[in-house]
Amino acid sequence: MSNLDNLKQEFNKNLSQISNSEQLTALHIKYLGRNGLINDLLKKIKEIPNEEKKQYGTQVNLLKKEIEEKINAKTKELSSKKSDKFFDKTMPGKQYPKGSSHIISYAIEEITKIFEKISFIRVSYPEVDWEYSAFESLNMPKGHPARDDFETSYIDTPPHPKFGKMVLTPHTSNGQNREMRRVKNPPIRMINISKCYRPNWDATHTPMFYQFEGLCVDKDINITNLKGTLDYFAEKYFGRGTKTRLRPHHFQFTEPSFEVDVTCTVCKGSAKVNGKKCKVCKSGWLELGGTGMVHPNVLKEGGINPNEFTGWAFGFGIERVIMMKYGLDDIRNYYGGDIRFLEQF
Ligand code: PHE
């Protein structure tokens, strides 16, 4: 028995010298750990004469309990003890690295604000949609060769009896019909920003990309309104003095149709940098995207009377406008996840 008394005494002595939690943990291991002193005592039970075994076991367990309780009490005592070290409350806190919006999110926000100022409503229509919204409603019936221009990816699900197959939408123009049906009675001023998909992968194309689509429908809307809006956007987004021009083009869903160029952000439209040809644009102009006056069939399909209302639409790539704004040359950086690139914006 004296063995136990010795251990108890030693424990009490050890405990009285503890002044921090590291020491307390070490003490816990020394006495209560798997190879600790209490377990040693329990293992020794084999050597105890049979008639004393029961009493020995009880005594060891009582001691174990006592040690556990004292250690618990000490733990509480230590954690409630205030540090007597001087703490300077006026010191600045730790600086943690700050994250920021992704370059695309930032551009989406910027574009949304520019159009909200002239009372366009931001919407986001499905990136997985029916053929009807992506094509039929846009004056592109089944089998029309213009559909190939978009090289669409189809989803492997049963087709809808009315709306056709499900597609990864190749442009944000799928929002035109949806918005007409949502608003019902013009005026419509929509800015639809969403992901689009086309199977291209090179320095200026990724298979997934973003577009923003403007749609304006009202009484007496004409090309002058369109040109004015494009000029407004170009000045706000690319900077003062940026000009736009329209070049005749063809889209099934607009008539007339155009491609829009803006003056190059590097040479400011002069086509020259330090007397040499501008490497970014070569001509003073950079192509922004497609636009035009909404085709009467598209208005009709959206439930709008083309004799009463007219409208215009445009669709531009977000990655593209960012590249033009900052003079970037490889779109793949946006999605490469390299923090050194992303941190710059
Ligand atoms: N949807 C066309 C494209 O993705 C762009 C466009 C939108 C053209 C609206 C005219 C009107 O290329």
Side-chain angles (χ1 to χ4, degrees), residues 186 309 313:
F309 296 104

Side-chain angles (χ1 to χ4, degrees), residues 82-248:
K82 282 210 184 96
S83 164
D84 42 13
K85 266 198 222 141
F86 173 68
F87 174 67
D88 184 354
K89 280 186 263 182
T90 64
M91 289 268 284
K94 262 190 198 160
Q95 290 276 335
Y96 291 100
K98 261 193 220 139
S100 60
S101 292
H102 188 273
I103 179 172
I104 301 279
S105 311
Y106 184 64
I108 290 176
E109 222 173 86
E110 216 181 337
I111 292 164
T112 303
K113 277 197 191 128
I114 292 174
F115 282 99
E116 272 174 358
K117 276 219 173 95
I118 51 169
S119 64
F120 277 61
I121 293 170
R122 163 80 196 277
V123 293
S124 194
Y125 281 118
E127 60 192 86
V128 183
D129 206 345
W130 303 109
E131 275 179 299
Y132 171 79
S133 309
F135 297 122
E136 265 92 340
S137 71
L138 293 165
N139 202 29
M140 282 189 277
K142 277 203 176 64
H144 196 286
R147 286 189 178 199
D148 294 347
D149 296 347
F150 300 100
E151 290 185 64
T152 310
S153 305
Y154 289 85
I155 304 280
D156 195 6
T157 50
H160 188 285
K162 220 165 108 197
F163 302 136
K165 291 184 196 145
M166 214 179 235
V167 298
L168 293 180
T169 166
H171 55 182
T172 41
S173 302
N174 67 324
Q176 291 193 20
N177 182 270
R178 285 181 173 274
E179 182 72 355
M180 289 176 199
R181 290 181 180 277
R182 184 185 74 83
V183 177
K184 291 192 183 80
N185 298 311
I188 295 173
R189 281 175 180 71
M190 166 193 93
I191 188 82
N192 172 28
I193 309 185
S194 179
K195 278 181 193 153
C196 305
Y197 301 82
R198 289 183 209 175
N200 299 319
W201 184 246
D202 60 32
T204 52
H205 298 89
T206 47
M208 187 282 293
F209 58 100
Y210 284 86
Q211 276 193 344
F212 59 111
E213 180 106 1
L215 175 69
C216 174
V217 182
D218 206 344
K219 286 201 166 115
D220 303 323
I221 293 292
N222 56 41
I223 295 182
T224 316
N225 305 129
L226 169 62
K227 182 71 165 65
T229 310
L230 293 173
D231 285 344
Y232 161 79
F233 169 73
E235 283 237 333
K236 285 279 183 247
Y237 187 74
F238 296 107
R240 287 187 78 166
T242 311
K243 293 192 174 55
T244 68
R245 74 174 181 192
L246 299 175
R247 274 183 293 109

Side-chain angles (χ1 to χ4, degrees), residues 134 138 140 149-150 170-174 176 196 198 209 211-215 249-259 287 289-294 312-317:
L138 293 165
M140 282 189 277
D149 296 347
F150 300 100
H171 55 182
T172 41
S173 302
N174 67 324
Q176 291 193 20
C196 305
R198 289 183 209 175
F209 58 100
Q211 276 193 344
F212 59 111
E213 180 106 1
L215 175 69
H249 197 73
H250 173 80
F251 295 104
Q252 277 299 114
F253 32 94
T254 45
E255 182 57 40
S257 303
F258 310 95
E259 276 190 329
E287 187 191 315
T291 187
M293 297 303 293
V294 180
W312 52 251
F314 67 77
F316 304 149

Side-chain angles (χ1 to χ4, degrees), residues 248-274:
H249 197 73
H250 173 80
F251 295 104
Q252 277 299 114
F253 32 94
T254 45
E255 182 57 40
S257 303
F258 310 95
E259 276 190 329
V260 190
D261 295 334
V262 296
T263 42
C264 173
T265 44
V266 175
C267 66
K268 309 278 174 227
S270 69
K272 288 217 158 66
V273 178
N274 299 331

